[in-house]
Amino acid sequence: MTDPALTLMQWLSPAFPVGAFAYSHGLEQAIADGQVSDAATLQDWIETLITQGSACADAILLAAAYTADDPAQIDATARAFAASAERLKEADLQGTAFCDTARAVWNIDISTLTYPVAVGTAARAMAVPLDQTLPLYLHAFASNLIAAAQRLMALGQTTGQQVLANLAPAITATATEATTSSLDDLTATSFAADIAAMRHEALSPRIFRT
């Protein structure tokens, strides 16, 4: 039997074909506007998403999907909660890609779910512990945004890893809180990030889909 931890690491690896490299989650707009310009402002931006914004909401949605017998209602909530068309596109396309691969490789009966709901549903199906899934999901989210930033501004590899290490307490705290949260706890107060995601729809030129 495959170690659940290895399965989880495979799902959240940059090599897993969800196309995460193509999405900046609005960060490209924030960098273009000068809101994010160095390691300190990048760390603050991502930490806000994890503790107060879309990544925090993702953690709650993932946990809800993990405990739900039918993820359809959770998925509908995830779609309704998306703050912009690009945020919905990101969650939808990555989720569909995740479902397609999980179904083909592990024979998990899932399709067309948004990304956090898909991961939560698959983790339940494969008996991957929720308390492992949540922090690694948030860690992958942060790592992807740091990689995007490194393509958009002067940010060295070592500095990027320092930013990721500095985010560990926020990741742990949000993941722990999400394990006992419900959909009633969904909220997002990272307004600058939401507005950046909306404005990114009209950014030209750009290299990321969101």
Side-chain angles (χ1 to χ4, degrees):
M1 182 177 179
T2 303
D3 184 340
L6 292 179
T7 300
L8 181 59
M9 285 188 283
Q10 183 173 352
W11 289 348
L12 299 175
S13 162
F16 202 77
V18 297
F21 63 88
Y23 303 95
S24 82
H25 207 69
L27 180 60
E28 184 172 19
Q29 183 68 57
I31 291 173
D33 292 341
Q35 292 178 284
V36 174
S37 58
D38 56 19
T41 50
L42 175 64
Q43 181 177 320
D44 182 64
W45 187 270
I46 299 173
E47 185 170 350
T48 299
L49 289 171
I50 290 170
T51 59
Q52 304 172 42
S54 54
C56 181
D58 274 4
I60 294 171
L61 290 162
L62 191 160
Y66 190 94
T67 58
D69 293 328
D70 181 0
Q73 180 183 354
I74 313 301
D75 191 65
T77 300
R79 293 175 187 277
F81 199 75
S84 66
E86 282 201 350
R87 287 276 176 83
L88 178 57
K89 178 193 295 183
E90 184 175 321
D92 183 39
L93 293 180
Q94 288 193 81
T96 297
F98 181 92
C99 289
D100 290 346
T101 305
R103 192 171 59 251
V105 177
W106 290 275
N107 199 31
I108 302 172
D109 185 20
I110 53 174
S111 62
T112 62
L113 296 173
T114 50
Y115 190 38
V117 177
V119 174
T121 302
R124 172 176 174 162
M126 295 293 292
V128 179
L130 180 61
D131 62 358
Q132 292 181 17
T133 305
L134 283 165
L136 285 182
Y137 178 92
L138 293 171
H139 186 275
F141 172 87
S143 181
N144 187 67
L145 289 193
I146 291 168
Q150 288 172 325
R151 283 175 273 172
L152 293 165
M153 63 190 231
L155 187 74
Q157 296 293 329
T158 301
T159 303
Q161 289 304 306
Q162 184 63 63
V163 169
L164 187 58
N166 292 345
L167 290 168
I171 289 171
T172 299
T174 296
T176 300
E177 187 172 350
T179 60
T180 58
S181 296
S182 71
L183 293 183
D184 291 337
D185 298 306
L186 274 176
T187 185
T189 55
S190 56
F191 304 122
D194 291 342
I195 292 169
M198 296 173 192
R199 294 187 60 237
H200 186 267
E201 296 175 27
L203 181 66
S204 181
R206 64 184 188 179
I207 64 174
F208 291 96
R209 299 183 73 172
T210 65

